[in-house]
Amino acid sequence: MDTMYDVIVVGAGPVGENVADRTTRGGLRTALVEGERVGGECSYWACMPSKALLRSGAALRAARAVGGAAQAVTGDLDVGAVLARRDRLTHGGDDTSQVEWVASAGIELIRGHGRLAGERIVQVTAGDGRAVTLTARHAVAVCPGSAALIPDIPGLSEAGPWTNRDATGVQDIPASLVILGGGVVAAEMATVFTDLGSAVTMVVRSRLLRGVEPFAADAVRASLTHRGVDIREGIAVAAARRIGGSVHVMLADGRTVTGDEVLCATGRLPRTTDLGVDAVGLVPGAWLDVDDTQRVRGSDWLYAVGDVNHRAALTHQGKYQARAAGDVIVARAFGRPVDDRPWGAHVATADHAAVPQAIFTDPEIAAVGLTEAQAREKGLPVRVLDHDLSWIAGAATWSDDYRGRARAVVDTDREVLVGATFVGPEVAELVHAATIAVVAEVPLERLWHAVPPYPTVSEVWLRWLEEYGRSADRSR
Ligand SMILES: Cc1cc2nc3c(=O)[nH]c(=O)nc-3n(C[C@H](O)[C@H](O)[C@H](O)COP(=O)(O)OP(=O)(O)OC[C@H]3O[C@@H](n4cnc5c(N)ncnc54)[C@H](O)[C@@H]3O)c2cc1C
């Protein structure tokens, strides 16, 4: 085996796969090292299974909200069928199809755990203990992702807490579940397990979904509460203990909540503890700090892409970084010019300005760019345009009880959108138009010519523009 490659990519999650694809397409011989399943956390224990589990409940609610269809829906979710659909979408944990894709893309897959062993050197240890040392001519890109953080709470580790892997891979639905955390994973899992019949309690140290516009978080809080979720906000966990078949979670206010299981959705840790980063002067267990080309600061050969660089822990953002990183590695390898200007070909500057996110709760939240508070913190001159989506004709035809709201955040100096948030049924599909407006910095005046079709919920764009007013009217 020739162990000299142009590029070595460690971690074959969505991000590593994309780095390797770009460098291979660019003419560089690339090794892709994977210690578990090709496809990574996203395919088997995160995005895909969680969205599969969420979709059945969302489809049922959507049908129940439309007269005519509602009468045809006479039963509840078939839990076994929901889990079977999840298993189909995750291929039952079998990565054969992704391995076939890797081969068809001309990438060389090496199974085993990769560790940096010096400059441009990666040692790979296979499951049977055999080790091989690989060398990269040009670059090593580490894309190991992140793992669930188990908070340092007395008794919690001993209580056998669930992580995202247990929750998304669930086979036996617990009668009751305590969820620690109030972020996206926590809110989505509260939705899933309520749909599947568990009694859910959420313990949130600060407040639910605190990263999004408060009106959007309020809508999800109200819906979860309406569906019976017991949400305790602004409270820390003091200790946990498993007694018999249930976990007792002691809160800082002296009260106790119990569940058959406790799920930790309290954040992520970088998978750099056993990556050999100390061999190249970096700190094991720390996030890796990169520039906009995804190259580790201070290095001319090491790249860190995806969750591990802690810029925007989302699959689509990681894949965006991967395209930039793969292309810049190729450009640097062949001595071609590197376009590292803002929004250039070899940078991931959207990480700072226009990260879109869809949260598949009930109702959904979709957002891009800055919230009102973030825009004001940045000192931007801000005007906020709020609209009740239920007033739009498209909402009335979509369902008999459409509730939703949308906010645009406008930089009034430049008269461009810097952020947008939607909350309501299936709003995830609305956000990309806002992403284009934010990234392209489309003047609001020009948006008058982007006419939303009638009757769709996208007519909110027209309502925003009407509220803002035309520049011709303002100058009179
Ligand atoms: C429950 C949940 C739901 C989510 N839902 C969404 C969603 O809907 N949309 C979205 O955009 N994001 C979502 N995310 C985030 C998303 O999963 C991550 O941002 C994404 O998986 C990051 O991709 P990655 O390639 O950086 O890492 P990963 O997907 O974690 O892949 C890393 C790969 O590297 C391998 N690896 C690690 N260390 C080594 C090593 N030393 N040697 C060899 N291989 C190694 C791992 O085995 C793994 O296969 C969700 C996360 C969670 C937890």
Side-chain angles (χ1 to χ4, degrees):
M1 173 183 177
D2 178 3
T3 56
M4 172 68 82
Y5 290 87
D6 293 317
V7 181
I8 302 167
V9 178
V10 179
V15 176
E17 285 180 328
N18 275 272
V19 175
D21 188 35
R22 298 303 276 206
T23 54
T24 306
R25 281 169 195 260
L28 298 179
R29 182 175 180 233
T30 301
L32 180 60
V33 179
E34 174 53 49
E36 288 184 90
R37 296 177 189 169
V38 176
E41 201 78 6
C42 177
S43 300
Y44 305 103
W45 299 287
C47 325
M48 290 307 288
S50 63
K51 267 75 257 180
L53 290 170
L54 283 157
R55 180 63 194 142
S56 304
L60 183 62
R61 279 188 289 281
R64 282 190 174 141
V66 182
Q71 288 73 9
V73 178
T74 52
D76 284 329
L77 281 185
D78 178 332
V79 173
V82 173
L83 301 186
R85 180 169 184 272
R86 181 270 324 268
D87 291 344
R88 272 200 308 282
L89 285 166
T90 54
H91 303 278
D94 179 355
D95 67 1
T96 304
S97 63
Q98 304 224 34
V99 171
E100 284 168 2
W101 172 81
V102 168
S104 71
I107 303 163
E108 294 178 46
L109 177 66
I110 299 176
R111 295 268 193 190
H113 188 91
R115 283 181 198 87
L116 295 165
E119 191 165 322
R120 296 184 168 84
I121 300 170
V122 175
Q123 189 163 63
V124 183
T125 310
D128 61 8
R130 272 187 289 181
V132 57
T133 301
L134 312 178
T135 309
R137 263 185 217 98
H138 298 293
V140 175
V142 290
C143 314
S146 62
L149 179 157
I150 307 293
D152 187 14
I153 291 169
L156 183 60
S157 293
E158 297 75 19
W162 276 12
T163 68
N164 61 293
R165 291 193 172 198
D166 305 285
T168 58
V170 66
Q171 295 298 342
D172 299 315
I173 309 303
S176 55
L177 177 68
V178 177
I179 300 178
L180 307 184
V184 176
V185 173
E188 288 187 345
M189 286 301 125
T191 309
V192 165
F193 281 92
T194 307
D195 284 353
L196 297 179
S198 301
V200 175
T201 305
M202 296 182 79
V203 182
V204 187
R205 200 170 50 182
S206 57
R207 65 186 166 79
L208 187 71
L209 295 173
R210 71 188 158 109
V212 304
E213 291 280 10
F215 73 84
D218 289 348
V220 171
R221 179 187 298 104
S223 161
L224 285 173
T225 304
H226 177 72
R227 294 173 63 205
V229 178
D230 177 2
I231 307 178
R232 315 279 178 103
E233 290 178 272
I235 187 87
V237 175
R241 193 178 316 150
R242 184 174 283 279
I243 304 172
S246 53
V247 181
H248 295 243
V249 177
M250 281 67 90
L251 308 182
D253 63 5
R255 287 180 294 175
T256 297
V257 294
T258 56
D260 290 350
E261 302 293 345
V262 58
L263 164 64
C264 289
T266 43
R268 308 285 297 171
L269 289 174
R271 282 200 177 149
T272 56
T273 316
D274 191 16
L275 190 61
V277 291
D278 44 332
V280 296
L282 299 169
V283 181
W287 301 101
L288 300 183
D289 185 29
V290 297
D291 62 23
D292 282 343
T293 70
Q294 314 305 302
R295 193 162 61 177
V296 172
R297 288 184 208 279
S299 172
D300 64 355
W301 59 274
L302 182 62
Y303 293 73
V305 197
D307 275 14
V308 74
N309 65 31
H310 213 213
R311 286 163 65 105
L314 291 161
T315 293
H316 46 273
Q317 271 332 96
K319 285 160 71 174
Y320 160 73
Q321 295 170 8
R323 293 188 286 272
D327 291 354
V328 79
I329 290 169
V330 172
R332 285 175 174 147
F334 290 106
R336 293 187 198 132
V338 170
D339 182 3
D340 57 2
R341 298 165 300 165
W343 307 110
H346 299 127
V347 292
T349 42
D351 285 351
H352 314 301
V355 175
Q357 179 164 30
I359 305 174
F360 293 86
T361 42
D362 167 36
E364 286 179 6
I365 298 175
V368 64
L370 303 175
T371 61
E372 178 187 4
Q374 289 164 344
R376 291 194 193 284
E377 259 167 44
K378 278 180 166 267
L380 295 178
V382 165
R383 183 159 162 209
V384 163
L385 309 171
D386 280 327
H387 199 78
D388 184 334
L389 295 177
S390 67
W391 298 343
I392 295 172
T397 57
W398 198 91
S399 89
D400 301 339
D401 184 27
Y402 192 107
R403 287 179 217 181
R405 196 170 156 201
R407 167 170 291 178
V409 181
V410 177
D411 173 340
T412 52
D413 263 3
R414 294 184 300 139
E415 300 212 306
V416 295
L417 205 66
V418 291
T421 298
F422 307 85
V423 60
E426 296 191 10
V427 293
E429 296 298 341
L430 289 181
V431 79
H432 193 56
T435 305
I436 292 169
V438 172
V439 170
E441 303 180 339
V442 184
L444 290 192
E445 195 55 35
R446 177 64 67 88
L447 282 178
W448 281 89
H449 300 280
V451 184
Y454 178 87
T456 64
V457 179
S458 291
E459 281 202 308
V460 67
W461 287 86
L462 194 48
R463 302 287 102 82
W464 280 339
L465 293 172
E466 285 165 351
E467 187 184 334
Y468 192 77
R470 298 204 77 152
S471 55
D473 297 332
R474 281 197 304 281
S475 60
R476 266 183 222 138

